Amino acid sequence: MEALTNFMDQKLGGPMTKLANQRHLRAIRDGMVATLPIIIVGSFFLIIGGNLPFPADWGIQIFLKENAANIVLPYRLSMGIMALYATFGIGFSLAESYDLDGLSGGILGTLAFLLTFTPVNVPATLNAGIAGWVLPMANLGGGGMFVAILTSMLAVEIFRFTDRSGIKISMPEQVPPSVARSFEALFPTTIVLILFGSITYWLGFNWHTFIAQLVSPLISAADSYASVMIQTFLNSFFWVFGIHGASIVGNIARPIWVVLLENNQIALEAGQALPAIAAEPFFQWFIYIGGSGATIGLALSMLIVGKSAFSKSLGKTVFVPALFNINEPLMFGTPVVMNPVLMIPFVVTPLVLGTIAWFATKWGFVNQVTQIAPWTLPGPIGAYMATGFDWRAAVLSVVLIIIATLMYLPFYKIYDNSLVAEEQGK
């Protein structure tokens, strides 16, 4: 155990921490996280628009169905174009990491992304009497996320190049900062406009088709049982050595999770079978109940079998945060990190929960996830909301919490006995 710990500290700890803090991955994380309020709130309008669990002959259900087109409009302009919002966030974060103006970076990133679209001039006869230029919306949402990430980063790198090379218009100190920043962004804006515009409109390069062909195998592979097990294991494995596994796995997987979630939402709106299982809410509500490692089971174990003064005191303190998926007090207070006894259930329990939840979803015992519920909700409530108000998901969450507790109990009892002996001076 000591040899493994030393190996993790010396060989993996440093590189994994650097990976989690790598500026481009951090920019992706910041940009995606900034869109979470839009995703959470916007997704509810898709459910309200005729997908609530009411009988079809109820007046409210009839009203919602008849007005679904208007009800889902907030969804279309929030979750439906979330790649556009994420692009600004990614560009902003990456620019600031280079000590550049974040606002200019966000705008340049958004500009580059929009230049991958070809507007269509729609005649009035085809557009309900409204003529004009329109943008195809399909790739403004999750479908365009990978293009959004690539183009926003390229735009900021161009911004950085012009800044470091001195290719910019520097204004006197008397000029207001906002005006000065606008002039400093003139050259990178010119380059972005000409470069991305030429690639899209003169070379006829279809960014979205090209990137979709590249990442489609990755998305398909991510939505598999094997992928769920690998992601779950890596999250727990890094955590037990004090490395924030959720940041590492989440930074890499979140763009794919968003695509999988939007694929489900598009299918739900169209009344089709949902294609994906392993979107982010699946992990949140069926695997990481109480936080990474399904530590709600550990918190309950402390209350059930804890005999040491330490357990009785800490158990009362950490249970409420764990109920709302905040487990840092457990991770470092118990501790779970570097604990040879508790690390076993911490790694194994999420794998068991993930297996049960995967096949329960695949076999149709519970609905697939279609929306992101606020992560601080208790497990059963979050599962109920994330699956489009499927009561079976709430029941499954309760069952998984019971299983997690049963798996932690014997290990925590061993650990607690050692604490009792220590307190008694034995």
Side-chain angles (χ1 to χ4, degrees):
M1 179 64 189
E2 184 177 353
L4 179 60
T5 300
N6 292 335
F7 172 80
M8 290 293 297
D9 284 340
Q10 298 172 9
K11 302 297 183 181
L12 290 181
M16 289 299 102
T17 301
K18 289 181 180 178
L19 178 63
N21 293 318
Q22 201 277 332
R23 69 173 77 242
H24 294 88
L25 288 178
R26 192 170 66 244
I28 295 173
R29 179 199 64 197
D30 292 346
M32 302 289 288
V33 169
T35 65
L36 281 180
I38 297 173
I39 296 174
I40 292 172
V41 179
S43 297
F44 277 105
F45 287 91
L46 178 62
I47 301 298
I48 295 171
N51 293 296
L52 288 173
F54 298 140
D57 58 347
W58 280 24
I60 186 173
Q61 189 75 306
I62 295 173
F63 172 82
L64 294 175
K65 286 287 186 181
E66 291 176 347
N67 295 275
N70 287 330
I71 293 173
V72 299
L73 285 177
Y75 159 77
R76 296 189 187 284
L77 295 176
S78 53
M79 177 67 184
I81 59 172
M82 58 89 59
L84 188 63
Y85 301 115
T87 302
F88 181 88
I90 294 169
F92 187 98
S93 176
L94 184 59
E96 287 208 324
S97 75
Y98 285 128
D99 293 325
L100 299 171
D101 178 52
L103 185 59
S104 297
I107 292 174
L108 283 170
T110 304
L111 173 64
F113 178 55
L114 289 175
L115 286 169
T116 66
F117 291 82
T118 302
V120 179
N121 192 4
V122 179
T125 55
L126 298 179
N127 197 33
I130 301 173
W133 291 91
V134 300
L135 282 178
M137 291 187 62
N139 291 317
L140 285 171
M145 183 56 64
F146 290 97
V147 176
I149 292 170
L150 175 63
T151 53
S152 60
M153 288 184 175
L154 288 175
V156 173
E157 292 297 340
I158 291 171
F159 186 21
R160 175 174 176 256
F161 171 77
T162 58
D163 181 77
R164 298 295 187 268
S165 302
I167 308 174
K168 60 181 179 179
I169 300 176
S170 298
M171 303 299 290
E173 293 183 0
Q174 295 81 1
V175 176
S178 59
V179 177
R181 287 196 299 268
S182 298
F183 277 91
E184 289 175 357
L186 280 175
F187 280 113
T189 300
T190 303
I191 295 173
V192 168
L193 271 169
I194 294 175
L195 177 63
F196 285 86
S198 298
I199 293 173
T200 303
Y201 308 127
W202 295 105
L203 298 181
F205 180 69
N206 191 318
W207 297 78
H208 298 277
T209 299
F210 178 75
I211 298 298
Q213 290 174 345
L214 288 180
V215 303
S216 59
L218 182 62
I219 293 173
S220 298
D223 191 39
S224 66
Y225 172 69
S227 175
V228 169
M229 291 296 99
I230 292 171
Q231 293 178 62
T232 302
F233 172 77
L234 290 177
N235 186 331
S236 300
F237 180 74
F238 288 128
W239 253 122
V240 296
F241 294 99
I243 302 169
H244 202 297
S247 293
I248 296 171
V249 176
N251 285 357
I252 297 172
R254 183 156 285 110
I256 298 176
W257 289 340
V258 169
V259 173
L260 294 175
L261 183 64
E262 189 187 52
N263 289 344
N264 278 357
Q265 293 179 338
I266 292 172
L268 177 67
E269 186 181 7
Q272 301 170 348
L274 306 188
I277 294 177
E280 183 173 8
F282 175 82
F283 291 88
Q284 173 69 55
W285 302 114
F286 295 128
I287 299 178
Y288 304 140
I289 310 173
S292 295
T295 46
I296 187 66
L298 175 58
L300 287 169
S301 296
M302 296 176 73
L303 294 177
I304 295 171
V305 302
K307 295 181 179 179
S308 64
F310 174 82
S311 293
K312 292 178 180 179
S313 175
L314 185 63
K316 297 175 183 178
T317 303
V318 302
F319 176 72
V320 172
L323 185 62
F324 296 98
N325 305 306
I326 301 170
N327 72 342
E328 281 77 7
L330 267 173
M331 295 300 299
F332 299 102
T334 308
V336 176
V337 174
M338 299 295 187
N339 189 317
V341 177
L342 296 181
M343 69 187 302
I344 297 173
F346 185 83
V347 172
V348 175
T349 301
L351 297 175
V352 173
L353 302 192
T355 298
I356 295 171
W358 169 268
F359 287 103
T361 306
K362 185 176 180 62
W363 293 337
F365 295 129
V366 295
N367 289 348
Q368 284 135 286
V369 295
T370 55
Q371 63 189 96
I372 293 182
W375 67 271
T376 51
L377 290 172
I381 298 176
Y384 174 68
M385 295 175 63
T387 53
F389 306 106
D390 182 5
W391 63 268
R392 300 172 301 173
V395 174
L396 176 60
S397 178
V398 172
V399 171
L400 294 176
I401 290 173
I402 294 172
I403 293 173
T405 305
L406 292 175
M407 294 189 68
Y408 270 104
L409 272 172
F411 292 93
Y412 191 76
K413 190 171 183 178
I414 293 172
Y415 179 62
D416 186 61
N417 287 339
S418 68
L419 294 177
V420 171
E422 184 178 334
E423 290 173 358
Q424 294 176 348
K426 296 181 182 179

